[in-house]
Amino acid sequence: MTVYKLYLKLIRRNFKSILLYLFIFVGIFFMFAIINSNNKTTNSFKEVKPTIAYIDEEQSNLSMNLKDYLATITKISDIDSAELGKDALFFGDIAACIIIPDGFSEHFNNQQLTNIQIEQREDESNAMLVQQYVNSYLQSVSTYQKNTTLSLDEIHAKILDDQSNKTEVAFAIANPETANDDVILRQLFFNYLSFICLSVTILMVGIVMHSMNNSEIRKRNLAAPIKSLSMNIQMVLGNLTFSIGLWVLFMIIICAFSNNMFNSIGFTYMLNSLVFFLVALSIAFLAANLIVNTAHPTELLSAITNILGLGMTFLGGAFVPQKLISDSVLAISRFTPTYWYVLANDKLVDLSQPTLEIFQYIGIQSLFAVACFILSMVVYKNKRVQESI
């Protein structure tokens, strides 16, 4: 296992770079956890009115009644366009943006799925209430219409009357926001992990593989009493050891931060991140083969790390929620594994059990890993042919 030991030795030699990324990453989330813990109220529950934007493009009786109802339980801003609503969402001025398009009443009266659009911030806990408020009102209207002959205005008046009759409920609760904060923390951790995963893996694997694939060093290794197949297997084992070891380290960190990792959703988060680490490894392997025997390999590798690390994570929605990214950018980001990785993480937030859809997203990432590995093998072979000429 001479080559394998050499691989690990080269990793240890560049371990300071890993620690730098690790400390920055953990520091950010340590501060985030402290901020969340300081903002929690443990002994009381207070009803919160989320601020929303209500853009009514239909101006029908039903849509205006819905707005009137929401005005009693939310704070409606004066935003009057979808574009301004997206900007307000991005800057955190509102929790959700409700858009009522033409045909909303027709869909509702025909008992079809309403075409109402609700955009919300993934990291805003109160945004979830908005969806519940809208569904509750429309369900109440539908129930009244099926069982009475009341008009829309009469139904609306009864719903408002029901809304004004509040029942006081006494209950004991340790911390009503803990679970939701933990879910948000876990989602952000795994989304941001994509940047650290790509950056560290590409940089470290690229440096080590370049050192071992240098033509002069490779020729010296070929003269050693080790078969070429054995050398390649040991390098693959070294890559897998580094990648999986790095993944285990981050899983230990998130388990220390979150109390909800040891369930089906938590294990699915782990599986999704493990597959993404393997994707990053295949990308790093490809990058390492591309820079073999180049004039300035270290500088080139740093550039590749920054471009792929930042580019893929921004396009994929790791830093900015995918719902706030334009359709044209999302169309491009679908060709990156980060998009499917983040999409799976975002979908898991609203699930109690993983679904087939989540595993399909993970499978798509696996296809990216296979494609990058095959492409790197082609590049590797072409490099060897050029060296033999």
Side-chain angles (χ1 to χ4, degrees), residues 164-340:
S164 63
N165 296 327
K166 296 183 179 179
T167 303
E168 297 219 0
V169 179
F171 57 93
I173 183 167
N175 192 336
E177 296 182 354
T178 299
N180 192 56
D181 286 339
D182 190 75
V183 167
I184 294 173
L185 177 68
R186 183 174 59 181
Q187 178 199 14
L188 292 177
F189 181 94
F190 280 100
N191 281 355
Y192 291 170
L193 182 61
S194 59
F195 169 68
I196 302 298
C197 170
L198 285 168
S199 299
V200 174
T201 304
I202 294 174
L203 183 62
M204 297 303 297
V205 172
I207 290 174
V208 174
M209 292 296 294
H210 173 265
S211 299
M212 301 186 72
N213 285 332
N214 182 275
S215 59
E216 296 298 326
I217 296 177
R218 193 180 64 83
K219 291 175 182 178
R220 190 179 305 169
N221 289 335
L222 290 175
I226 304 176
K227 293 183 179 179
S228 178
L229 178 61
S230 176
M231 292 176 57
N232 291 332
I233 291 176
Q234 290 183 52
M235 280 196 293
V236 169
L237 287 175
N239 284 326
L240 289 175
T241 300
F242 168 74
S243 185
I244 295 176
L246 191 63
W247 173 78
V248 169
L249 178 61
F250 282 110
M251 292 308 100
I252 293 173
I253 293 172
I254 185 57
C255 287
F257 273 103
S258 174
N259 298 320
N260 294 310
M261 287 305 301
F262 297 102
N263 52 43
S264 58
I265 295 296
F267 290 135
T268 307
Y269 270 112
M270 291 183 184
L271 175 62
N272 188 36
S273 62
L274 175 60
V275 173
F276 189 79
F277 266 82
L278 297 179
V279 173
L281 179 60
S282 66
I283 295 174
F285 191 63
L286 174 60
N289 283 318
L290 288 173
I291 65 169
V292 170
N293 297 329
T294 54
H296 303 283
T298 305
E299 291 80 1
L300 183 58
L301 188 60
S302 297
I304 293 175
T305 300
N306 292 328
I307 292 172
L308 292 182
L310 290 173
M312 292 176 66
T313 46
F314 268 110
L315 285 175
F319 298 127
V320 178
Q322 291 183 349
K323 291 183 179 181
L324 301 181
I325 300 177
S326 65
D327 293 337
S328 57
V329 175
L330 284 179
I332 299 173
S333 67
R334 287 186 176 91
F335 293 95
T336 67
T338 314
Y339 170 84
W340 303 101

Side-chain angles (χ1 to χ4, degrees), residues 47-50 52 54 64-76 133 137 156-157 159-166:
E47 185 178 3
V48 176
K49 285 188 174 183
I52 67 170
Y54 191 90
M64 289 188 288
N65 285 345
L66 175 58
K67 181 179 181 179
D68 187 48
Y69 168 78
L70 291 174
T72 64
I73 50 181
T74 66
K75 298 176 183 177
I76 300 180
Y133 292 154
Y137 181 83
H156 178 63
I159 293 175
L160 290 181
D161 184 58
D162 294 338
Q163 172 69 17
S164 63
N165 296 327
K166 296 183 179 179

